[in-house]
């Protein structure tokens, strides 16, 4: 004990000695300072001077306001900090503040937060905060607006109350934190802020022996702050007309109802659709009117909550407030708030007064379009949206995250140079489109989940002005009708008026990349199965968003709604006694124009013959039987055509079809005339060297068809497209799909009309006037104009084929002819044939002697020009025949006939050609003297030799 006392005395003595020495050292320094100057100088050095109060200077002497948006995890640290760190909650909020000096500032905030406690409870809180801020970086050095990194100390208090709890007076607390800030520019700062605070004991609705709670959070966010005057935007705001600075918008929302006690928000999730219009009256202030409809899940009462209503909002442009007015700013932050009316349809119908507020982030896509996202809270102060139960209380609020597109009337565009829609021909400003998507009936304002079916179609239209146009469209689809007919087929035709909203807002611009087009019109639907009738007249509304990838080619997205009377399907929409079909379509749009005067001049100056000969073959099938594997037959076409200008042309020819389905044979032969349009030229301009071209055509046809032992007169109309590849200056290859609606004038109404599809692959031989016109060269060539030919062949007539094909029914024939080559292209030929046919049904033998007069056209010369040394040539054959026929059973007859065919000619020497010639013959009456129409045709193939002299 004594040792300890002695040690303590020594320690105290050491401290006194050290203090005395330090005091003597300071006195010596003071005396030295006094000896170096006057008494006033002594006071200057001896007395402390209060430092100058730091302020903002120069361009930085502006009100330094800021707005912070933040979110992050929250932690309950009492009574079990380990549990709280492993099970974080969430805090989201905003704060508005001001820096009074470079060092000192304050902010006031509004936040929402929830905690998870070790006792299993979870609290949701809405509260306010007030903080004092100290900028440690500015304290250590001078204020620097360009400083990238700063540290700020935070100390303040909070007051909050957990929502949806009755009999609770709220809780309070004090907190401190440290904010690390990284400047992304003059006006934007990203920050991270850890906080910890002590709160009143009732924060977790439990009393504890401590009498307090400890909680913390780690939030991160973005700050928008005022910028110096020298870089603040000062562009003028124009509002001379009402249309300037107005906007239209539409979009979708996702969120849910905030239900007391409903911790799992997925049970109350919902979606909304909204659309509206607004206007900015100044750089900071604007207003908008929004119409909306929403549907929410609500398992409490087993009723969905459906709402429809309108909201009027005040808009405050936060970005313009901090940075100055800039109409083309890429990103803008806009605060919204307002009031409105909502009609609620649930277990009980209600009319509610609603308040709402949100914060909109707007991204500029171009000078006219913006994309926005807007979190929003809606609150009904006077009544509940829904009633509750023992487990859940009724809710007054919902939270939505809305996203959509905004079309903005830019004053710079409205006051700029006005473009005019140029229309010099009816083909100018026409357009075509192909559509595909899905449709579904609406029932009580909701889609059938399992009744979404495909739809395909197309349209043709024309713009008369920059804002107004029309279109005709047709489509086919499957569409739910009733539980007994869930997959009914439907075909529709529509006539619509088009309003180009983009041109209405900002003027016509042929180079516009995105266009918003409103659609309204009449629709006529035909159902394969019906409730009361086969056809239904209705109305159509749609909104098309068209992205123009080039001035002529674009892709689009088009939501549609069609309304019919209340007998189109079993169920109707809840708010009206009507049947509704909703669809979402996408596709391609091609804008067309007639050729210009310069293109027409170029077309004429080429001095070319734009006529051509076409030959094609492919398949034929009923459009409604495309999914049947045995429904495909064969078809062919031969025609002559001519392009009268770079855009338009005509084609006239003959065609034939044959198909057999389930033992029923169908045969068609006829003529057709088509009007051709070059879509490539209309879209891209005339280019004679273009390798790939897209053409469209429409026409009329007439012919005879045979089915079920009856023959009928079959007129029709057709339309299709042609994808053409230019192989050379005189040869094209193409693929051509075509749809023909053909009537058959028979007594059976079920066979009164049919829709036939043809898909052909073919070749065009273009007549080259440059080469064909070498008549002088042809006259002076040493060639032989006359020829004689001898041929042998095989074939049969219509009754040689009966059910199945047998080689024994093919019989032999022979022929001889004399002819002359009149021009490089044309030949005349006269000859005689001997034929023998066999009737497969009864074995009857038919002998025919025929006199022929034929015209031959050298297709090789038409396609590739005259060449006397060419070895292989292709010729077309057209002719007439006088036939003397005798049947072993039915006697003799003298039918008249026409024939068509092709001749392949191989030049073995200057005098000798080897030929092969398939032909088809049609007669005005059967060869065998019977009444069977099948006896009116024959098919023959000849092989022969020409000797020229």
């Amino acid at each position: 004990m004594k040792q300890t006392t002695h040690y303590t005395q020594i320690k105290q003595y050491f401290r006194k000695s050290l203090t005395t020495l330090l005091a003597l050292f300071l006195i010596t320094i003071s005396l030295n300072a006094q000896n170096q100057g006057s008494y006033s100088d002594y006071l200057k050095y001896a007395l402390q001077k209060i430092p100058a109060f730091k302020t903002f200077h120069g361009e930085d002497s502006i009100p330094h306001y800021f707005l912070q948006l933040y979110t992050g995890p929250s932690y309950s640290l009492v009574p079990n900090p380990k549990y709280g760190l492993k099970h974080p909650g969430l805090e989201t909020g905003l704060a508005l503040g001001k820096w009074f000096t470079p060092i000192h500032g304050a902010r006031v905030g509004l936040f929402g937060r929830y905690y998870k406690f070790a006792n299993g409870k979870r609290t949701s809180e809405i509260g306010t905060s007030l903080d004092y801020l100290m900028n440690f970086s500015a304290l250590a050095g001078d204020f620097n607006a360009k400083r990238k990194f700063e540290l700020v100390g935070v100390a303040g208090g909070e007051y909050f109350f957990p929502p949806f709890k009755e009999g609770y007076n709220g809780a309070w607390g004090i907190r401190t934190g440290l904010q690390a800030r990284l400047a992304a520019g003059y006006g934007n700062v990203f920050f991270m802020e850890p906080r910890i605070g002590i709160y009143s004991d009732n924060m977790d609705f439990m009393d504890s022996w401590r009498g307090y709670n400890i909680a913390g959070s780690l939030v991160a966010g973005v700050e928008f702050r005022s910028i110096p005057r020298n870089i603040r935007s000062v562009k003028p705001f124009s509002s001379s007309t009402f249309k300037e600075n107005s906007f239209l918008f539409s979009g979708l929302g996702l969120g849910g109802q905030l239900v007391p006690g409903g911790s799992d928000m997925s049970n109350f999730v919902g979606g909304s659709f909204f659309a509206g219009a607004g206007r900015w009256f100044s750089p900071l202030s604007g207003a908008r009117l929004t119409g909306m409809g929403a549907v929410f899940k609500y398992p409490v009462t087993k009723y969905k909550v459906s709402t429809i209503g309108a909201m009027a909002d005040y808009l405050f442009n936060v970005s313009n407030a901090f940075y100055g007015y800039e109409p083309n700013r890429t990103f803008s932050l806009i605060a919204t708030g307002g009031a409105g009316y909502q009609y609620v349809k649930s277990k009980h119908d209600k009319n509610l007064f609603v308040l709402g507020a949100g914060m909109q982030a707007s991204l500029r896509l171009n000078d006219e379009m913006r994309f926005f996202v807007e979190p929003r809270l809606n609150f009904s102060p006077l009544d509940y949206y829904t009633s509750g139960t023992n487990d859940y209380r009724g809710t007054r609020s919902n939270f939505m995250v809305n996203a959509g597109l905004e079309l903005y009337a830019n004053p710079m565009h409205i006051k700029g140079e006005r473009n005019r829609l140029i229309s010099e021909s009816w083909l100018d400003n026409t357009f075509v489109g192909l559509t595909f998507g899905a449709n579904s009936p609406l029932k009580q304002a909701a889609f059938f989940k399992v009744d979404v079916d495909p739809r395909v179609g197309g349209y043709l239209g024309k713009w008369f002005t920059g804002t107004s146009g029309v279109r005709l469209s047709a489509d086919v689809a499957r569409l739910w009708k009733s539980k007994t007919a869930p997959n009914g087929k439907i075909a529709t035709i529509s006539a619509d008026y088009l309003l180009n909203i983009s041109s209405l807002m900002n003027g016509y611009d042929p180079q516009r990349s995105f266009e918003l087009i409103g659609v309204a019109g009449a629709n006529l639907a035909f159902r394969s199965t019906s409730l009361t009738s086969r056809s239904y007249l209705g109305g159509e509304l749609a909104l098309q968003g068209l992205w123009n990838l080039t001035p002529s080619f674009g892709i689009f997205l088009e939501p549609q709604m069609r309304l019919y009377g209340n007998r189109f399907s079993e169920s109707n929409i809840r708010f009206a006694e009507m049947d509704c079909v909703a669809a979402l379509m996408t596709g391609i749009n091609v804008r067309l124009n007639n050729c210009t005067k310069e293109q027409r001049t170029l077309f004429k100056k080429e001095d070319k013959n734009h006529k051509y000969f076409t030959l094609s073959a492919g398949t034929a099938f009923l459009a409604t039987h495309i999914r049947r594997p045995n429904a495909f037959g064969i078809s062919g076409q031969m025609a002559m055509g001519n392009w009268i200008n770079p855009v338009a042309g005509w084609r006239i020819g003959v065609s034939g079809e044959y198909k057999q389905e389930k033992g029923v044979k169908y045969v068609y032969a006829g003529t057709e005339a088509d009007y051709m349009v070059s879509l490539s030229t209309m879209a891209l301009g005339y280019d004679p060297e273009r390798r790939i071209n897209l053409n469209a055509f429409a026409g009329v046809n007439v012919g005879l068809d045979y089915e079920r032992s009856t023959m009928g007169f079959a007129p029709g109309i057709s339309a299709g497209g042609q994808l053409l590849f230019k192989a050379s200056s005189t040869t094209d290859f193409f693929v051509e799909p075509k749809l023909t609606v053909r009537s058959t004038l028979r007594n059976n109404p079920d066979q009164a009309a049919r829709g036939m599809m043809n898909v052909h692959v073919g070749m065009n031989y273009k007549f080259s006037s440059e080469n064909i016109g070498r008549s002088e060269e042809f006259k002076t060539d040493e060639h032989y104009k006359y020829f004689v030919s001898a041929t042998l062949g095989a074939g049969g007539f219509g009754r040689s084929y009966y059910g199945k094909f047998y080689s024994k029914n093919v019989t032999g024939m022979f022929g001889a002819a004399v002819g002359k080559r009149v021009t490089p292209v044309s030949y005349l030929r006269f000859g005689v044939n001997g034929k023998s046919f066999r009737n497969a049904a009864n074995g009857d033998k038919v002998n025919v002697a025929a006199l022929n007069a034929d015209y031959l056209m050298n297709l090789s010369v038409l396609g590739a020009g005259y060449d006397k040394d060419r070895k292989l040539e292709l010729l077309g054959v057209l002719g007439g025949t006088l036939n003397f026929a005798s049947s072993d059973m039915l006697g003799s007859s003298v039918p008249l006939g026409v024939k068509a065919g092709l001749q392949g000619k191989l030049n073995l020497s200057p005098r000798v050609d080897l030929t092969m010639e398939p032909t088809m013959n049609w007669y005005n009456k059967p060869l065998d003297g019977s009444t069977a129409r099948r006896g009116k045709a024959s098919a023959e193939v000849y092989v022969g030799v020409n000797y020229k002299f």
Side-chain angles (χ1 to χ4, degrees):
M1 185 68 178
K2 291 180 178 181
Q3 292 179 352
T4 303
T5 303
H6 180 69
Y7 175 76
T8 302
Q9 291 176 352
I10 294 174
K11 187 175 181 181
Q12 292 176 351
Y13 175 76
F14 177 77
R15 289 179 177 175
K16 290 179 181 179
S17 300
L18 183 63
T19 303
T20 302
L21 291 174
L22 181 61
L24 291 173
F25 177 74
L26 294 175
I27 292 172
T28 302
I29 294 176
S30 300
L31 291 174
N32 290 335
Q34 184 179 7
N35 293 334
Q36 295 175 2
S38 63
Y39 180 74
S40 61
D41 294 332
Y42 167 75
L43 292 176
K44 180 179 179 180
Y45 287 99
L47 300 178
Q48 285 188 343
K49 185 177 180 180
I50 299 175
F53 193 70
K54 293 186 177 181
T55 60
F56 297 107
H57 299 285
E59 297 292 343
D60 297 321
S61 58
I62 59 173
H64 286 262
Y65 292 103
F66 61 88
L67 175 68
Q68 294 178 339
L69 305 175
Y70 61 84
T71 187
S74 57
Y75 306 93
S76 171
L77 303 179
V78 170
N80 189 340
K82 187 175 182 181
Y83 179 89
L85 292 174
K86 288 185 176 180
H87 300 83
L90 181 67
E91 178 176 348
T92 299
L94 58 87
L96 181 66
K98 180 181 181 182
W99 289 101
F100 302 103
T101 72
I103 299 175
H104 307 287
R107 71 182 180 189
V108 60
L110 177 68
F111 62 87
R113 177 194 301 157
Y114 75 86
Y115 293 110
K116 293 181 179 179
F117 295 95
N119 58 11
K121 289 184 175 293
R122 170 176 165 171
T123 64
S124 300
E125 304 162 351
I126 296 177
T128 62
S129 63
L130 178 64
D131 295 315
Y132 164 74
L133 309 176
M134 176 177 284
N135 192 319
F136 294 147
S137 299
L139 182 65
D142 292 332
F143 173 76
N144 186 357
K146 298 181 180 180
R147 184 178 288 123
K148 289 294 184 182
F149 181 78
E150 292 181 318
L151 283 177
V152 175
V154 180
E158 297 178 356
Y159 178 81
F160 54 85
F161 55 91
F164 316 125
K165 293 291 179 181
E166 293 181 347
Y168 183 68
N169 296 322
W172 61 273
I174 56 175
R175 67 182 186 183
T176 185
L178 185 65
Q179 185 182 102
R181 302 160 54 84
L182 179 64
Y186 281 103
N188 299 320
V189 176
F190 296 100
F191 66 88
M192 181 177 291
E193 184 176 327
R195 306 169 183 163
I196 190 167
I198 300 176
Y199 299 91
S200 57
D201 192 35
N202 55 352
M203 185 182 74
D204 58 354
F205 316 115
M206 295 178 63
D207 296 328
S208 68
W209 59 271
R210 299 177 184 81
Y212 64 89
N213 283 294
I214 298 177
S217 60
L218 177 61
V219 299
V222 62
E223 175 183 299
F224 304 89
R225 61 181 181 180
S226 303
I227 59 177
R229 290 189 178 93
N230 60 331
I231 61 173
R232 184 179 177 87
S233 177
V234 291
K235 291 186 177 181
F237 180 84
S238 175
S239 59
S240 57
T241 64
F242 184 82
K243 187 168 69 172
E244 293 181 41
N245 302 297
S246 60
F247 57 90
L248 303 174
F249 62 92
S250 182
L252 301 173
L254 181 65
Q257 298 186 84
L258 302 179
V259 178
S263 59
D264 188 357
M265 195 172 179
S266 63
N267 291 329
F268 309 96
V269 72
S272 67
F273 169 79
F274 60 90
R279 187 176 188 271
W280 289 99
F281 301 102
S282 72
L284 301 183
S285 297
R288 72 181 183 191
L289 182 63
T290 308
M292 81 226 20
V295 179
F296 298 95
K297 293 173 61 177
Y298 196 67
V300 177
T301 58
K302 298 182 181 180
Y303 283 87
K304 287 184 178 180
V305 180
S306 303
T307 68
I308 187 170
M311 293 287 293
D313 291 322
Y314 170 75
L315 310 178
F316 180 77
N317 195 309
V318 178
S319 298
N320 286 344
F322 286 117
Y323 311 141
Y325 175 64
E326 171 53 68
N328 294 321
R329 180 172 285 118
T330 301
F331 177 82
S332 298
L333 190 68
I334 301 169
T336 66
Y341 161 81
Q342 287 190 4
Y343 170 72
V344 179
K345 186 76 173 179
S346 185
K347 185 177 181 180
H348 303 289
D349 296 350
K350 295 184 178 182
N351 297 286
L352 299 183
F353 171 72
V354 180
L355 301 175
M359 186 67 70
Q360 182 185 106
S362 177
L363 179 65
R364 175 178 173 270
L365 302 178
N366 55 39
D367 291 344
E368 301 172 0
M369 294 298 301
R370 293 171 181 169
F371 171 77
F372 65 86
V373 177
E374 181 180 335
R376 182 179 180 88
L377 179 67
N378 298 306
F379 177 72
S380 172
L382 304 179
D383 198 356
Y384 292 99
Y385 274 94
T386 56
S387 58
T389 64
N390 294 333
D391 297 327
Y392 302 97
R393 294 191 60 242
T395 177
R396 294 178 182 269
S397 58
N398 60 67
F399 178 77
M400 303 296 295
V401 178
N402 298 326
L405 291 172
E406 177 185 300
L407 178 62
Y408 174 63
N410 194 324
M412 299 175 64
H413 285 195
I414 296 174
K415 293 185 175 182
E417 182 179 355
R418 299 292 181 91
N419 292 308
R420 186 176 64 87
L421 184 70
I422 299 175
S423 182
E424 298 178 347
S425 166
W426 69 271
L427 288 175
D428 288 336
N429 306 302
T430 56
F431 58 90
V432 295
L434 297 176
T435 66
F436 55 91
N439 59 185
S440 174
L442 285 181
K443 178 184 179 183
Q444 299 178 359
F447 280 102
F448 288 103
K449 295 181 180 179
V450 296
D451 297 316
V452 177
D453 295 302
R455 179 197 289 180
V456 296
Y459 59 76
L460 171 68
K462 178 176 173 62
W463 290 104
F464 298 105
T465 68
T467 57
S468 297
V470 296
R471 77 175 183 188
L472 299 175
S473 60
D475 54 61
V476 293
R478 289 188 178 275
L479 184 67
W480 183 93
K481 181 183 71 68
S482 64
K483 293 180 180 179
T484 58
N487 295 317
K489 299 175 184 177
I490 184 172
T492 65
I493 55 175
S494 303
D496 300 317
Y497 169 75
L498 307 181
L499 176 66
N500 193 312
I501 301 173
S502 298
S503 295
L504 180 68
M505 298 285 287
N506 289 287
Y508 172 69
D509 182 2
Q511 304 300 321
R512 181 173 283 124
S513 59
F514 178 82
E515 295 179 282
L516 190 65
I517 301 170
V519 181
N523 176 272
L524 185 61
F526 304 89
R527 302 209 66 148
S528 60
T529 55
S530 60
L531 295 175
T532 58
S533 63
R534 290 181 177 269
S535 61
Y536 300 83
L537 180 63
E540 180 176 52
L541 294 173
L543 187 66
Q544 183 184 94
L546 175 63
W547 284 266
N548 294 307
L549 306 180
T550 71
S552 300
F553 181 82
I555 59 176
F556 64 86
L557 186 67
E558 181 176 326
Q560 297 178 352
M561 183 175 68
R562 293 174 176 175
L563 296 173
Y564 301 95
N566 191 20
R567 295 190 177 183
F568 187 72
S569 61
E570 282 189 348
S571 300
N572 54 27
I573 51 179
R574 191 164 189 171
F575 56 84
E577 293 298 319
M578 301 185 72
D579 291 331
C580 179
V581 177
L584 183 62
M585 307 300 292
T586 186
I588 60 174
N589 183 88
V590 181
R591 193 158 186 169
L592 309 173
N593 284 290
N594 200 357
C595 54
T596 63
K597 293 181 179 178
E598 293 79 8
Q599 293 172 351
R600 290 175 183 268
T601 302
L602 176 61
F603 183 80
K604 293 179 180 179
K605 284 184 177 180
E606 288 178 336
D607 193 24
K608 291 183 178 180
N609 189 335
H610 296 281
K611 297 182 176 64
Y612 60 92
F613 173 79
T614 184
L615 187 67
S616 63
T619 184
F621 57 92
L622 283 172
T624 55
H625 294 181
I626 188 172
R627 301 180 66 178
R628 297 183 183 181
N630 62 344
F632 295 87
I634 59 173
S635 61
Q637 182 187 46
M638 185 169 59
M640 294 287 294
N642 181 34
W643 288 101
I644 56 179
N645 59 50
V647 170
W650 53 263
R651 184 177 67 180
I652 299 175
V654 295
S655 64
E657 299 170 3
Y658 172 81
K659 74 179 190 69
Q660 181 175 348
E661 184 178 352
K662 295 183 178 180
V664 178
K665 301 181 183 68
Y666 177 78
V667 181
Y668 169 82
T671 62
E672 53 189 32
D674 296 322
Y675 180 76
M676 307 285 294
V677 174
S678 175
L679 301 181
S680 299
T681 300
M682 295 181 71
L684 305 174
Y686 177 60
D687 182 2
E689 302 302 322
R690 183 179 291 121
R691 287 292 181 181
I692 298 178
N693 287 277
L694 181 64
N695 301 324
F697 62 88
V700 296
N701 49 79
V702 62
L704 298 174
D705 66 354
Y706 172 83
E707 186 179 31
R708 300 181 186 272
S709 302
T710 61
M711 182 175 292
F713 179 67
I717 57 174
S718 60
Q722 185 184 83
L723 181 63
L724 184 142
F725 173 74
K726 180 181 178 181
S728 69
S729 60
T730 56
T731 305
D732 300 329
F733 296 99
F734 62 84
V735 177
E736 181 179 296
K738 178 175 66 174
L739 172 64
T740 301
V741 179
R742 185 178 299 149
S743 296
T744 298
L745 304 182
R746 296 193 182 99
N747 295 328
N748 188 347
D750 294 334
Q751 301 177 4
R754 65 178 69 236
M756 294 295 298
M757 284 293 301
N758 301 98
V759 180
H760 282 190
V761 176
M763 177 185 297
N764 288 341
Y765 295 95
K766 293 176 282 187
F767 300 168
S768 174
S769 57
E770 179 182 355
N771 293 327
I772 297 172
R774 295 177 180 174
S775 57
E776 296 299 325
E777 181 180 344
F778 175 75
K779 292 178 181 179
T780 58
D781 278 346
E782 294 182 0
H783 63 276
Y784 302 99
K785 297 182 180 179
Y786 298 95
F787 63 90
V788 293
S789 62
T791 58
L792 295 175
F797 81 131
R799 303 192 72 185
S800 299
Y801 174 81
Y802 192 80
K804 294 183 179 181
F805 177 78
Y806 295 102
S807 59
K808 65 179 182 179
N809 295 329
V810 177
T811 53
M813 51 199 68
F814 63 90
V818 60
K820 179 182 179 181
R821 186 173 189 176
V822 182
T823 70
V825 175
S826 301
Y827 301 73
L828 294 177
R829 184 179 67 181
F830 301 93
V832 60
N833 294 92
K835 312 173 186 179
S836 179
F837 298 120
R838 183 177 183 275
N839 190 326
N842 55 20
D844 185 23
K845 186 177 181 181
V846 180
N847 297 309
V848 179
L851 298 177
N852 307 288
D854 301 325
Y855 169 76
L856 284 71
M857 177 184 292
N858 194 314
L859 302 179
S860 298
V861 174
L862 290 176
Y866 173 68
D867 183 359
K868 66 177 182 178
D869 297 322
R870 183 177 289 117
K871 292 296 184 181
L872 182 64
E873 293 182 310
L874 181 67
L875 289 76
V877 180
L878 292 173
T881 63
L882 177 62
N883 302 273
F884 302 92
S886 63
S887 167
D888 292 346
M889 295 183 178
L890 299 177
S892 62
S893 62
V894 184
L896 297 176
V898 294
K899 69 177 182 179
L902 289 173
Q903 183 187 93
K905 185 173 67 172
L906 178 63
N907 296 319
L908 300 180
S909 71
R911 286 183 176 272
V912 179
D913 300 331
L914 181 65
T915 63
M916 181 175 177
E917 184 176 323
T919 60
M920 284 291 298
N921 293 266
W922 294 271
Y923 309 100
N924 68 329
K925 55 185 176 180
L927 292 175
D928 58 358
S930 67
T931 58
R933 292 184 176 88
R934 293 177 59 180
K936 291 183 176 182
S938 66
E940 304 159 10
V941 179
Y942 291 93
V943 176
V945 176
N946 289 344
Y947 178 77
K948 294 175 283 186
F949 59 93

